[in-house]
């Protein structure tokens, strides 16, 4: 179950910086202000990581840099008023990664690691920060206009 099969805009390669039950407009405005001028951010996709317990997620870890680690801190500071921020995305608990596959059965993990384990580190750049509303199925650049996903 490769993420490459999901071609919708809501599945574009991304790093999750935070999450919340809801994000009031004033909080989004604070996030946009806090992140102004922080991009582009160079990133390196490093080692593979497997997460989960019954169904697994395969991802590439993102090598942390001071510039990269400043992003979730800025977002966390701006999100103080947002409700229900999960513990896993709080500063100090966040694991930067890019998901490659979700819902892997245990027997698929070994095959995926055998295929992808030889891929060298990949360099890229974070160009924008976007929001995703899973209930409405839409994404938008922070401070921009929401658009519907496919």
């Amino acid at each position: 179950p490769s993420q490459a099969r999901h071609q919708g805009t809501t599945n574009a390669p991304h790093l999750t910086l935070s999450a919340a039950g809801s994000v009031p407009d004033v909080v989004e405005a604070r996030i946009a202000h806090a992140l102004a001028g922080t991009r582009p951010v160079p990133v390196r996709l490093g080692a593979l990581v497997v997460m989960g317990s019954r169904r697994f997620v395969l991802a590439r870890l993102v090598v942390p840099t001071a510039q990269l680690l400043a992003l979730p801190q800025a977002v966390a500071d701006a999100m103080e008023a947002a409700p229900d921020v999960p513990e896993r995305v709080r500063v100090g608990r966040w694991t930067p990664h890019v998901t490659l596959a979700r819902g892997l059965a245990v027997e698929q993990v070994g095959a995926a690691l055998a295929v992808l384990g030889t891929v060298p580190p990949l360099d890229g750049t974070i160009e924008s920060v976007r929001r995703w509303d899973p209930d409405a199925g839409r994404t938008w650049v922070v401070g921009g206009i929401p658009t519907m996903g496919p």
Side-chain angles (χ1 to χ4, degrees), residues 110-138:
L113 290 172
V115 170
L116 296 172
T118 60
V119 176
L122 302 168
D123 293 317
T125 305
I126 296 172
E127 298 288 339
S128 65
V129 176
R130 70 181 177 124
R131 288 252 334 263
W132 173 53
D133 181 338
D135 295 330
R138 60 186 184 154

Side-chain angles (χ1 to χ4, degrees), residues 6 8-12 14 16 18-23 28 88 102 129-142 146-150:
H6 179 342
T9 58
T10 61
N11 194 50
H14 66 278
T16 299
S18 190
S22 65
V23 179
E28 182 172 342
R88 73 182 184 284
R102 312 179 86 170
V129 176
R130 70 181 177 124
R131 288 252 334 263
W132 173 53
D133 181 338
D135 295 330
R138 60 186 184 154
T139 65
W140 63 98
V141 173
V142 169
T147 58
M148 298 304 289

Side-chain angles (χ1 to χ4, degrees), residues 50-58 101-107 109:
V50 178
M51 301 178 280
S53 57
R54 281 178 270 186
R55 301 296 281 178
F56 297 93
V57 171
L58 179 64
R102 312 179 86 170
L104 293 170
V106 69
E107 59 275 2
V109 172

